[in-house]
């Protein structure tokens, strides 16, 4: 676990085309979860889409403008092709991000479009890892989830953690009436 890949697979080529990566044009992908194929590709396309929204190269005739065109992006992959991942692998990603921050890498925000409704047990180790990132000065943005439930009553972790570094984001719609998408989770604090 924790190998850093600098290959030229399809996801990397797409990301290099649209994103400003490290100074040498690379976008680092850290694979934490053991996958059968050992791939660093992003299976669903959501992370690539989100990264493109944040950091796509603008003014290049490709028809897209980024929110933060000078951002540098580091991906820490722990979700498998099945769409699942473990708390232990997510924790390893947060530990890696915090270690980079402590070595002087200017990491300000993590973006996390993952999570699940809380099961029987509270994931204390995962919350501790998120809190460690927050203590290092990193803001952690989490998807509120798409179960259509009030996460004050039915927690969706990690978005439901009561951590000062977390910003939980609900899905919205631009269709009339504009507002929260019906499938999006919600809560009084979100």
């Amino acid at each position: 676990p924790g190998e850093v890949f600098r290959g030229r697979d399809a996801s990397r080529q797409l990301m290099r085309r649209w994103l400003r990566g490290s100074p040498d044009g690379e976008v680092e992908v850290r694979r934490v979860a053991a996958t059968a194929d050992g791939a660093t590709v992003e299976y669903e396309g959501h992370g690539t889409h989100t990264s493109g929204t944040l950091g796509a190269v603008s003014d290049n005739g490709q028809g897209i403008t980024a929110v933060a065109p000078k951002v540098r992006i580091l991906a820490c992959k722990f979700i498998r092709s099945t769409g699942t991942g473990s708390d232990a692998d997510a924790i390893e990603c947060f530990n890696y991000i915090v270690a980079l921050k402590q070595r002087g890498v200017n990491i300000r925000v993590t973006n996390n479009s993952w999570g699940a409704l809380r099961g029987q047990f509270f994931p204390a180790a995962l919350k501790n890892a998120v809190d460690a990132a927050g203590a290092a000065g990193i803001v952690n943005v989490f998807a509120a989830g798409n179960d259509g439930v009030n996460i004050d009553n039915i927690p969706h972790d990690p978005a439901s953690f009561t951590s000062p570094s977390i910003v939980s984001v609900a899905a919205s719609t631009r269709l009339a009436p504009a507002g929260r998408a019906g499938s999006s989770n919600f809560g009084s604090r979100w």
Side-chain angles (χ1 to χ4, degrees), residues 18-21 51-60 64-73:
W18 292 104
L19 305 176
R20 285 178 170 55
S51 297
T53 300
L54 291 172
V57 177
S58 301
D59 297 324
N60 63 355
I64 187 169
T65 300
V67 174
K70 294 185 179 185
V71 70
R72 293 176 61 191
I73 294 175

Side-chain angles (χ1 to χ4, degrees), residues 6-49:
R6 295 193 183 279
R8 296 193 180 272
D9 58 42
S11 290
R12 179 159 342 275
Q13 287 185 25
L14 179 63
M15 290 177 84
R16 286 185 69 197
R17 179 176 174 189
W18 292 104
L19 305 176
R20 285 178 170 55
S22 63
D24 61 359
E26 291 287 329
V27 176
E28 182 175 323
V29 176
R30 181 177 175 88
R31 181 180 59 86
V32 172
T35 56
D37 57 7
T40 59
V41 299
E42 194 225 332
Y43 300 105
E44 299 296 323
H46 181 76
T48 302
H49 167 82

